[in-house]
Every structure is written in C-alpha cells, then in structure tokens.
Amino acid sequence: MERSVEASFLQEEPTVGGTIPSAGYNASVMACPLSCHCIEKSGLMVVQCMSRNLEKIPPDLPRDTVVLLLAANHITHIPNHAFRELHYLQELDLSDNDIEAVDMGAFQGVSDSLLVLDLSNNHIQSVPKEAFARLRAKISLSNNPWHCECTLQEVLRELRLDPETVNEVICHTAVQEEYAGKPVIQVLDSGINFCNFHHKTTDVAMFVTMFGWFTMVIAYVIYYVRHNQEDARRHLEYLKSLPSNSQISKDFDTISTVL
C-alpha cells in the first residue's frame, strides 16, 4: 500500500476542501510521534507507523497528516473520534492489525476528506451501522471473520467497497449456516436478505415471550379461582357448623323457663 501511495502522490497533489497548508511542515515533522516516521512527499504529510508494535492509535499525530500508515501493528480497537483532528486525512491504512471493535464514531471528522480506508486482515466480525456513515472512501474489508446478518448487510449497502477485494469479504459465520464460507456480495446478489432472517427471529422471540406471559396469566387465574373456591368451601363449612337460629331460640326459652 505504501508503494502505491508514494507513486500516486509523486504524480499529483490532491487537496481536500481547499488548499492544504504548505507552511509548517518542518514543525509537523519535528512534532512527529516517537513511534512513527513523518516525511513530506510532494507537499503532503505522510505519517508512517507501520510495524511498530503499536497497541493503540497514536494520539499526537500531526494535524496536517494526509496519509497515515498504521498497518502491521497490534491495534485492537478504533475508538470514537480517533482521527477527529486530522481534517486533511485522505488515506488511512489499518490493515494487518488485531482490530476487533470499531466504535460508531470512529471516523467522525474525516468522512468528507477520506478517500481510501484499508481495514483488511483484521479480526472484525461486525460493525455498528453508524461507523461508516457518510464515508465516501473506497474501503477494503477483506479477510475479516465477518458474521453475516442484517446489520452487516445494511452497512455494506452504504459503502463503496474496493472492487479488487470485494470477493474476499467472506461470511465466516452467518444467521443461516449454509452461507458460511461464501463471499458476502455473492450471497446478497443471489437474492438472500439477511434482514428477513432477522425479522423472523425477532417474530419468533416475540411469540415465545408473549406465549410465556399468556401462560403465566392463565396459571395465575387458575390459581386464583381454585384458591377462592377453597376459601369459599371452608367458609361454607364453618357456617354449617354454627347452630341454627331456631336452636338458639329453643335453648334461650329453656334457660328462661328454668329461671
């Protein structure tokens, strides 16, 4: 990837949202993170942090960074606003890391400028729908253990995938096991809609929940009726055990006569 970046920037000097400031590059190079190597190529700031055993994205990257190479490290997480200050960032290489989680606001602040994003060869199974919102970049997601379900389908629908690696975006697992091991695009192009499976699963879950509540209500009603019947029976037996009014009157007359 670095070779292609160098070749492209030697041929032209792209800009984003106006002219990239040319002044201050020496200061940017001097302020380069210790774990990285910052160089100027054709007037553009390239920050090279490849194979540096990094576990996190460096927080002190030069703000005029145009190309950021973070491949072949041990980064596991892309947090919210990780690149928020890099308003000129056009190319971001995060391939060959250990990334498992991508926060929904990971690329906020660079959605308008970013042109190339490489997340290939990581450990990503799923991403929030909001993670790639409004990104116009060409994105590589190949060689990740994707779980094919509704959210992934909705994410891919909005992305501009790298055509050279699109067939390497494979379903490692899926809501239906028969699609595991197949390219996601191939499955979707065949007419499969993972969101239908999602809706069916949701409907079944709702039905099971409703049936459980209904069963509990019926059980309570039966218990309540039986409990009241038992109370009524005991009360009736108690009333029957009491002496009748006529018997009480006779006993009272007998006592009066004796007196």
Side-chain angles (χ1 to χ4, degrees):
M1 181 174 181
E2 184 179 7
R3 186 179 303 169
S4 63
V5 169
E6 293 179 1
S8 63
F9 284 130
L10 286 173
Q11 293 174 4
E12 56 182 353
E13 298 182 12
T15 60
V16 178
T19 304
I20 297 177
S22 56
Y25 270 99
N26 289 335
S28 294
V29 171
M30 293 295 292
C32 189
L34 294 176
S35 55
C36 302
H37 177 58
C38 300
I39 55 176
E40 180 185 344
K41 285 187 177 294
S42 303
L44 303 175
M45 177 58 62
V46 178
V47 180
Q48 208 269 58
C49 311
M50 300 173 66
S51 303
R52 301 299 175 96
N53 293 317
L54 298 177
E55 296 181 356
K56 296 181 180 179
I57 297 168
D60 51 350
L61 295 164
R63 293 192 176 189
D64 52 1
T65 300
V66 177
V67 179
L68 178 56
L69 308 176
L70 287 163
N73 284 292
H74 301 294
I75 299 170
T76 60
H77 175 217
I78 307 179
N80 287 322
H81 311 298
F83 312 101
R84 177 174 53 187
E85 303 297 332
L86 308 183
H87 301 299
Y88 303 106
L89 186 63
Q90 294 185 14
E91 187 156 350
L92 175 59
D93 185 359
L94 284 159
S95 62
D96 296 292
N97 274 280
D98 301 319
I99 298 170
E100 297 179 352
V102 180
D103 287 353
M104 64 175 60
F107 303 105
Q108 285 184 1
V110 297
S111 57
D112 292 331
S113 63
L114 199 60
L115 301 177
V116 178
L117 173 60
D118 193 345
L119 288 168
S120 61
N121 299 298
N122 278 285
H123 305 311
I124 308 171
Q125 297 183 23
S126 63
V127 291
K129 288 187 292 186
E130 301 82 1
F132 300 125
R134 296 183 296 278
L135 274 182
R136 301 177 300 165
K138 180 173 67 175
I139 301 176
S140 177
L141 299 174
S142 59
N143 299 315
N144 280 282
W146 294 106
H147 176 63
C148 290
E149 39 75 46
C150 183
T151 300
L152 180 61
Q153 175 179 313
E154 293 179 344
V155 167
L156 295 181
R157 184 182 299 159
E158 305 296 328
L159 296 186
R160 180 179 162 226
L161 291 176
D162 178 7
E164 295 183 2
T165 62
V166 67
N167 289 322
E168 297 171 8
V169 183
I170 307 293
C171 294
H172 182 70
T173 58
V175 289
Q176 293 288 313
E177 292 183 3
E178 60 191 285
Y179 303 116
K182 296 182 179 180
V184 182
I185 298 301
Q186 183 183 97
V187 173
L188 296 179
D189 286 346
S190 69
I192 298 302
N193 187 339
F194 290 121
C195 292
N196 284 344
F197 298 126
H198 174 74
H199 293 151
K200 288 179 181 178
T201 302
T202 303
D203 291 343
V204 170
M206 289 180 63
F207 174 78
V208 171
T209 302
M210 291 177 64
F211 180 78
W213 278 107
F214 181 75
T215 302
M216 290 176 62
V217 170
I218 294 298
Y220 176 77
V221 170
I222 293 174
Y223 169 79
Y224 180 79
V225 170
R226 288 182 176 178
H227 183 73
N228 283 352
Q229 286 178 338
E230 183 65 22
D231 285 348
R233 185 184 63 79
R234 286 198 296 264
H235 185 66
L236 182 59
E237 290 178 351
Y238 170 74
L239 292 176
K240 288 181 178 180
S241 66
L242 294 176
S244 63
N245 289 335
S246 58
Q247 182 64 37
I248 293 174
S249 298
K250 289 180 180 179
D251 291 343
F252 183 77
D253 290 342
T254 303
I255 293 172
S256 298
T257 303
V258 170
L259 293 175

